[in-house]
Amino acid sequence: MDKSQLLSQYNQIKAEGLKLDMSRGKPPAEVLAYSNRLLEISLFDDYHSVNRIDCRNYGVLDGIPEAKALFAPILGVSTDEIIIGGNSSLQMMYDAVTRAMLSGVSEKAEPWSKDKSGRVKFICPVPGYDRHFSICEGLGIEMLNLPLNQGQPDIDMVEDMVARDGSIKGMWCVTVYSNPTGITYSDQTVRRLAGMKTKADDFRLFWDCAYIVHHLTDTHCNILNILDECKQAGNPDRVYMFGSTSKITFPGAGVAIMAASEGNTAYIKKHMGFQTIGSDKLNQLRHVRFFKDFNGIVAHMKLLKDILKPKFDAVIEMLEKQLKPHNLGEWHSPDGGYFISFDGNKGTAEKTVRLCKEAGVVLTNAGATFPYGKDPEDRNIRIAPTYPSVEELKAAMTVFCVSVKLASAELG
Amino acid sequence: MDKSQLLSQYNQIKAEGLKLDMSRGKPPAEVLAYSNRLLEISLFDDYHSVNRIDCRNYGVLDGIPEAKALFAPILGVSTDEIIIGGNSSLQMMYDAVTRAMLSGVSEKAEPWSKDKSGRVKFICPVPGYDRHFSICEGLGIEMLNLPLNQGQPDIDMVEDMVARDGSIKGMWCVTVYSNPTGITYSDQTVRRLAGMKTKADDFRLFWDCAYIVHHLTDTHCNILNILDECKQAGNPDRVYMFGSTSKITFPGAGVAIMAASEGNTAYIKKHMGFQTIGSDKLNQLRHVRFFKDFNGIVAHMKLLKDILKPKFDAVIEMLEKQLKPHNLGEWHSPDGGYFISFDGNKGTAEKTVRLCKEAGVVLTNAGATFPYGKDPEDRNIRIAPTYPSVEELKAAMTVFCVSVKLASAELG
């Protein structure tokens, strides 16, 4: 098909006046509906936790015991290693970074913001999660791109970077069904991250388990437990793990969690005590009554999978049909998570996103999956298939594929 | 009564094996019960905000419109000037301080942590709220005690301090029925705080309105609106206001709010955007459905007053009866709030608190109402009468009064 034919096809679609949003990883209404019982669970007759705390009142900084017991298996940690937060794991990550900036990561450590080098740097596997990068950008933390190597974060490069540069204080890791690539860290990647030598004593892995139970197939990925690996490697304090029910129950009113060594959690809780008296225990109680135990979460996720899988299939099918024959772009069919990562020809991503937008399909901004919003090759586009219906996705992907072709043709 | 008689009286009481806690400003179960409908409000049939946002899902950084409309009158601000937070106003204050430390208070301002002087200082009216002081202590902010003068924060001294010292970046103010003194800032105090010249361009008043609708009488105190006064004085960005429903509905699961000029809120929201996608909108919705409008809050607070007033009366009555005749200490019967501030003879507070504890009555630690936990005169004790029953309070105050007498006698 030549460029004029593509253009006329594009203009025809544009004239249809679509209005579709594939920009964010939002659960659709059908997914949320499976948690609607949370909206009507009455706590009127019993608002006490198992240890007889009145959950309406003050107290309990780090979460009620039954919430810890419910959520600890998500991260594979003990109830002594978990802290229950508010409704946002992003907030817990942000707090972990600001705490380290202002007070350091332990009683002995200096605040990152007072590092002798005058700089604080984070390693950012790319493409990655834009909100991780925003935390760094907002706080003036320098970000270093880390490419993938054979589908895994380039661990040789990581080892080299952290061994040489003491101002590298952290690394963002979305380790299971990563945002946006869908990859899961291999045993080797996990072990080497746990064991590597870091010049900075106060280096931390920010281990975001946002999609750890969010499978799209029945063969679930296995990932080594990073906290166990860090302990075995003699670096028990190296990692902060994060998770939430944002994409299990309600994104706006779920429960966030973090986990770390007992040394880390003791220090974190001391500082959390300056900042709050405790998170919403009634919402913790609602979640416990809703799920009962970890098996309840696993069963719930199977229901969600049945809704989400066909959406991913629809996107992949369109890509296979429309773009593969023309060798336009690369993608990976993920086994879980919330995204499909699309790599077009160099220099086409921004144009593709703009063409889509002008035809009524909003995608995540090109570049958003890179620090500072800058994709050096202008290739990567994050596709978020969860929110629209399958019908809408087909329409949106028609626009997308034509836009990719057009953007590629104009380069040629 | 001589010392041996006092001692025998004390030992007699001690033998009763009381176990009472007057250490924190916790609402009692009878108060919480008035909000129990919040525990059973079902959102099943309508979980949308007035602007058709699905409150289960992501979005809305600063609160749903009807929550803004409900809570803005508490602080006397417009809905453009309010930000709805999570369940903790302490968290909003902490965030405001850390944000200023790491990023400054505006686009133009330097981070406080990079102040040329190498120091950041806050003015702390004393006695004051221990958790305010903990925020500063946790972040290494130097605290400067500010005494009262004729029942008001010594405003001459404040003006002098902020005019001379550019490293003074903030001042904690509990402005209505203050914790623990029960005082309300006078028109003159408010106006001079709004209008005073500060050496630091980036100075902020942290205006905690924790008890602004928490009256104990029918003649409500009036306080000038600090935001209006700041605007009139040409310092619209000087103040951050804070409040919450922690002592209106549920301490553990209420809604926190803050307010400031539109310039400030725009800047704050930009940085909040790095830290969270938004607070729990379902809990905002529950509160809106529960109260309907500000009149609902006012009516609710009258119910709470009827429970709390007799508790304050019981404490004051015991003090008047047991200690006034002996001229032992000073106190003030507050018209609202959560505390009674007791000033004993110099050097007696720590001893009194210890004697009470040994007899089974837990008070807030002596010194807690001062920065660094150090009451220079060892006089002040914060009495928190809200949680125990009237009967328990009478028993506790018997212990307290004997302990005060004993502590005073031992000095003599």
Side-chain angles (χ1 to χ4, degrees), chain A residues 27-172:
Chain A
E30 318 95 89
V31 159
L32 302 185
Y34 275 118
S35 297
N36 272 357
R37 208 162 58 76
L38 277 172
L39 298 170
E40 55 170 0
I41 285 179
S42 171
L43 301 174
F44 192 89
D45 292 321
D46 190 5
Y47 37 77
H48 288 89
S49 65
V50 286
N51 55 351
R52 305 307 301 155
I53 294 287
D54 183 338
C55 292
R56 302 170 304 174
N57 219 325
Y58 285 121
V60 193
L61 182 63
D62 57 347
I64 56 176
E66 58 266 60
K68 291 184 177 183
L70 173 64
F71 294 125
I74 291 185
L75 301 179
V77 298
S78 82
T79 52
D80 294 327
E81 294 165 330
I82 193 168
I83 296 173
I84 314 289
N87 75 325
S88 164
S89 58
L90 194 72
Q91 172 90 54
M92 294 188 101
M93 296 174 213
Y94 182 87
D95 285 351
V97 177
T98 55
R99 192 163 44 234
M101 288 291 279
L102 288 169
S103 309
V105 294
S106 70
E107 297 296 346
K108 284 176 294 182
E110 278 291 298
W112 285 353
S113 63
K114 294 195 174 154
D115 193 74
K116 291 173 297 292
S117 69
R119 302 160 87 173
V120 181
K121 300 177 195 162
F122 263 55
I123 295 175
C124 300
V126 289
Y129 178 34
D130 55 349
R131 292 191 189 270
H132 287 166
F133 304 154
S134 299
I135 289 178
C136 285
E137 199 171 354
L139 296 170
I141 293 172
E142 202 175 319
M143 290 178 275
L144 308 172
N145 288 5
L146 177 82
L148 295 177
N149 182 4
Q150 301 188 310
Q152 291 285 311
D154 190 329
I155 189 71
D156 291 336
M157 202 169 152
V158 176
E159 286 174 343
D160 183 55
M161 290 163 89
V162 297
R164 282 189 298 108
D165 188 345
S167 61
I168 296 178
K169 300 297 188 185
M171 173 173 170
W172 291 113

Side-chain angles (χ1 to χ4, degrees), chain B residues 344-355:
Chain B
N345 289 341
K346 286 186 192 179
T348 60
E350 215 171 291
K351 175 108 197 200
T352 300
V353 170
R354 185 164 53 73
L355 287 168

Side-chain angles (χ1 to χ4, degrees), chain B residues 9 27 49 51 137 149 151 207 229 285 315 327 384 387 395 410:
Chain B
Q9 197 184 344
S49 64
N51 54 351
E137 199 171 353
N149 182 6
W207 205 257
E229 294 301 319
L285 212 50
V315 170
N327 241 326
Y387 193 74
E410 296 198 345

Side-chain angles (χ1 to χ4, degrees), chain B residues 93-367:
Chain B
M93 296 176 214
Y94 182 87
D95 285 350
V97 177
T98 54
R99 192 163 43 234
M101 287 292 279
L102 288 169
S103 308
V105 295
S106 71
E107 297 296 345
K108 284 175 296 183
E110 278 291 298
W112 286 353
S113 62
K114 296 197 172 153
D115 194 73
K116 290 173 297 291
S117 68
R119 301 160 86 174
V120 180
K121 300 177 194 162
F122 262 55
I123 296 175
C124 300
V126 289
Y129 178 34
D130 54 350
R131 290 191 190 271
H132 287 165
F133 304 153
S134 299
I135 290 177
C136 285
E137 199 171 353
L139 296 170
I141 293 172
E142 202 175 320
M143 291 179 274
L144 308 171
N145 288 5
L146 179 81
L148 295 177
N149 182 6
Q150 300 187 310
Q152 290 285 311
D154 190 328
I155 188 72
D156 291 337
M157 203 168 151
V158 176
E159 286 175 342
D160 183 54
M161 291 161 89
V162 297
R164 280 190 298 108
D165 188 347
S167 62
I168 296 178
K169 300 296 188 187
M171 174 173 170
W172 291 113
C173 307
V174 191
T175 56
V176 177
Y177 308 135
S178 189
N179 175 357
T181 56
I183 65 154
T184 296
Y185 284 22
S186 70
D187 290 1
Q188 197 204 169
T189 303
V190 175
R191 282 210 182 96
R192 288 174 66 182
L193 288 171
M196 65 192 181
K197 288 217 167 70
T198 62
K199 189 161 183 192
D201 286 339
D202 53 354
F203 172 88
R204 290 291 183 272
L205 296 167
F206 285 71
W207 205 257
D208 187 348
C209 302
Y211 309 105
I212 196 162
V213 292
H214 304 60
H215 311 290
L216 287 169
T217 75
D218 291 324
T219 37
H220 299 172
C221 72
N222 281 308
I223 183 163
L224 283 181
N225 185 298
I226 183 68
L227 188 53
D228 291 344
E229 294 301 319
C230 285
K231 287 177 196 166
Q232 274 173 40
N235 301 315
D237 297 332
R238 175 164 294 175
V239 68
Y240 298 147
M241 303 173 79
F242 302 92
S244 80
T245 71
S246 289
K247 284 165 181 122
I248 298 176
T249 59
F250 295 143
V255 177
I257 55 179
M258 78 172 289
S261 70
E262 289 189 45
N264 275 336
T265 52
Y267 179 77
I268 290 167
K269 281 188 252 185
K270 179 187 146 185
H271 282 267
M272 278 176 67
F274 303 138
Q275 120 186 55
T276 183
I277 302 175
S279 297
D280 183 338
K281 298 182 291 298
L282 291 179
N283 204 33
Q284 294 172 29
L285 212 50
R286 273 184 214 105
H287 277 75
V288 169
R289 304 262 165 95
F290 180 63
F291 284 123
K292 296 195 173 55
D293 57 27
F294 182 61
N295 290 331
I297 296 178
V298 172
H300 183 83
M301 295 313 288
K302 281 192 183 146
L303 300 172
L304 305 196
K305 182 200 77 175
D306 292 340
I307 293 170
L308 296 175
K309 184 67 164 74
K311 302 191 181 206
F312 281 79
D313 289 347
V315 170
I316 295 291
E317 200 185 306
M318 291 290 284
L319 293 172
E320 298 282 339
K321 206 188 288 179
Q322 300 286 330
L323 300 182
K324 199 166 197 178
H326 307 283
N327 241 326
L328 286 175
E330 289 164 23
W331 56 89
H332 168 76
S333 178
D335 293 331
Y338 254 63
F339 301 102
I340 292 165
S341 182
F342 176 86
D343 282 313
N345 289 341
K346 286 186 192 179
T348 60
E350 215 171 291
K351 175 108 197 200
T352 300
V353 170
R354 185 164 53 73
L355 287 168
C356 283
K357 191 176 180 184
E358 287 166 7
V361 175
V362 179
L363 297 168
T364 312
N365 283 341

